[in-house]
Amino acid sequence: MTQQPFYITTAISYPNGRPHIGHAYEAIATDAIARFQRMMGRDVFFMTGTDVHGLKMAQTARDRDVTPGALANEMSSYFKEMDDVLNISYDRFIQTSEPDHHAASQAIWKALEANGDLYLDRYEGWYSVRDEAFYDEKELVEGDGGEKLSPQGTPVTWTAEESWFFRLSKYQEPLLKHYAANPDFIRPESRRNEVLRFVEGGLSDLSVSRTSFDWGVKVPDSEGHVMYVWLDALTNYLTGVGYPGDTAEFRKYWPADYHIIGKDIVRFHAVYWPAFLMSANIALPKQVFGHGFLLNRGEKMSKSLGNVVDPTEYADRFGVDQLRYFLLSEVTFGNDGSYSEEAIVTRCNADLANSFGNLAQRTLSFIAKNCEGKLAADGFEPTQDDLDLYHLVHRACAEFERHMGQLEISAAIESWMRAVFACNQYIDAQAPWTLRKTDPARMVAVLAVLYEAIGNVAIAIQPIIPAATAKLLDQMGVPDDARTYAVIRERAWYRALAASGFTLAPPSPIFPRLELPAGE
Ligand code: MSP
């Protein structure tokens, strides 16, 4: 059977500083979706990386007295390292200075040109280096000192130079038609409404080249012009799957299933990007999902407030899976969310250490100790309580699946927690430690029911906490090829494992209790 392809991307980050927890959040959420789709049997391509061109990178390099290329290489390595620490299962990490990306960007440029959508003129207007964005005068807001700021609150400078323009205005109607015909093109709903209002308000042509610096992709046949950084950056999504040319890879993976990005860059992905693609006669991505922002105790993270958190340090302190679990369960995907060290410790202790970890640990060590690690064959007659637990676990895993398929990640985790609670209630009600003396045969049956239930909840939650579940499932002897949703439904792995004569070794705990550092 050929697997259905699935293409998912994160935004590519500006590596003008080290990665922060907001970057980690996007990578983790996208990774969970990619892992989930792999478990559903899809042939996944997962793309991430760094966006190294533009004025922001050029200026940061100048301030640090290094070349932009050296800055890009050094800083990109920290982003890659963060991804590797956080267990991000990307298929390609692109750095936009790579030669195939320059070729892809120049190819899309030529396609826009061939369609008559580029013309040379003079740009005079406002530019925010921080956002790498042009703004209309009417969009600007006033800062505390009366200075002009972008709608994102970043400084703007007056820019006047010769520039190539893209006929964005021509795409107002086609874009509105596309949004109407594809209500899921932009999610969540609130972002879709923002984009609709923006496009309905009219689109001006877009300046797509710069002449005042040379750090970027060269405009073909136009001496002195480099491409506007967003035009090249967005094209990374095509580069990653083999554009230009009619390659087998491109035909397989394009159009992308999801572009996962933050709410601040929805305009670029939901207006400019589809317009470029329409002009180049390339199919549009299926969905742009704008997630919310992560706030430190409700406050925006900023260097001046000193509240920027290094995600690898958190991963070291709390554990990679603990950080992944916290971010994905605490924040409703699509909304803003807040984090603090206390909140991480509280949630991980409650859900992972006390509920899930403890359930696994006490069940498995009981089997190791009292049954010499032997799994009972499930030939017993199940009681109503056993059947209720089977059904509840299956229903919860099915809900997890349904929610993940809709990118409702925190709701998926809530469904999963219901199964964990039910297992804990079951073990307390059945009390195998009492049955050991009063009814050993029933004790064995209870342990068999629990073993299967714990295996199933561990299989289900793999996309969220991949390392801990791998460790647990390895200890439990669940074969690699049985770790899928289809297997949970078929109820086959436990029987086969018990029949194989597998012996459970004394287990080691997967989730230690976390402590807050003294004084916090
Ligand atoms: N380089 C552009 C994206 C180009 S995509 C073709 C960019 N880079 S960025 O480094 O500023 O941001 C990278 C991603 O991180 C964006 O999706 C952005 O929304 C996200 N986040 C940045 N700060 C964030 C939080 N505080 N919280 C959550 N996500 C955040 O934009």
Side-chain angles (χ1 to χ4, degrees), residues 80-153:
K80 197 157 189 230
E81 189 182 300
M82 172 191 82
D83 282 349
D84 293 337
V85 167
L86 297 176
N87 228 339
I88 306 303
S89 60
Y90 57 82
D91 294 291
R92 175 161 176 191
F93 186 103
I94 196 173
Q95 186 178 317
T96 50
S97 45
E98 289 168 45
D100 68 339
H101 177 68
H102 280 236
S105 305
Q106 289 176 333
I108 200 171
W109 180 281
K110 285 185 183 152
L112 307 184
E113 195 170 32
N115 202 33
D117 284 337
L118 297 178
Y119 60 90
L120 200 56
D121 203 340
R122 192 177 160 75
Y123 179 76
E124 283 197 20
W126 297 100
Y127 191 75
S128 158
V129 177
R130 202 99 71 75
D131 305 343
E132 296 282 16
F134 301 96
Y135 291 106
D136 282 346
E137 178 85 37
K138 63 176 192 296
E139 292 185 276
L140 300 184
V141 296
E142 203 168 294
D144 292 341
E147 75 281 20
K148 286 183 193 296
L149 295 176
S150 81
Q152 315 269 3

Side-chain angles (χ1 to χ4, degrees), residues 24-184:
Y25 173 62
E26 185 171 299
I28 289 171
T30 310
D31 181 64
I33 302 162
R35 285 176 184 272
F36 169 75
Q37 292 293 345
R38 280 191 207 106
M39 274 179 67
M40 295 296 283
R42 302 286 292 268
D43 174 354
V44 172
F45 195 83
F46 172 11
M47 177 87 182
T48 192
T50 51
D51 176 1
V52 305
H53 295 133
L55 207 46
K56 175 149 64 175
M57 284 295 286
Q59 288 182 355
T60 310
R62 201 184 51 209
D63 295 346
R64 295 179 179 220
D65 209 14
V66 291
T67 63
L71 177 73
N73 290 341
E74 186 199 339
M75 290 292 169
S76 294
S77 75
Y78 300 132
F79 279 82
K80 197 157 189 230
E81 189 182 300
M82 172 191 82
D83 282 349
D84 293 337
V85 167
L86 297 176
N87 228 339
I88 306 303
S89 60
Y90 57 82
D91 294 291
R92 175 161 176 191
F93 186 103
I94 196 173
Q95 186 178 317
T96 50
S97 45
E98 289 168 45
D100 68 339
H101 177 68
H102 280 236
S105 305
Q106 289 176 333
I108 200 171
W109 180 281
K110 285 185 183 152
L112 307 184
E113 195 170 32
N115 202 33
D117 284 337
L118 297 178
Y119 60 90
L120 200 56
D121 203 340
R122 192 177 160 75
Y123 179 76
E124 283 197 20
W126 297 100
Y127 191 75
S128 158
V129 177
R130 202 99 71 75
D131 305 343
E132 296 282 16
F134 301 96
Y135 291 106
D136 282 346
E137 178 85 37
K138 63 176 192 296
E139 292 185 276
L140 300 184
V141 296
E142 203 168 294
D144 292 341
E147 75 281 20
K148 286 183 193 296
L149 295 176
S150 81
Q152 315 269 3
T154 58
V156 289
T157 46
W158 183 255
T159 304
E161 61 190 58
E162 185 189 67
S163 170
W164 285 95
F165 279 79
F166 172 70
R167 292 187 202 282
L168 184 63
S169 52
K170 180 174 145 186
Y171 291 93
Q172 179 179 2
E173 285 313 314
L175 283 170
L176 289 172
K177 265 200 198 123
H178 187 77
Y179 305 146
N182 299 275
D184 278 346

Side-chain angles (χ1 to χ4, degrees), residues 11-14 20 22-23 25-26 51 230 233-234 236-237 261-265 269 291-294 301:
I12 49 172
S13 304
Y14 294 123
H20 57 62
H23 298 122
Y25 173 62
E26 185 171 299
D51 176 1
W230 271 101
L234 288 160
N236 94 86
Y237 302 134
I261 54 159
K263 64 179 185 180
D264 57 329
I265 55 172
H269 284 80
H291 62 72
F293 260 45
L294 219 52
M301 294 182 276

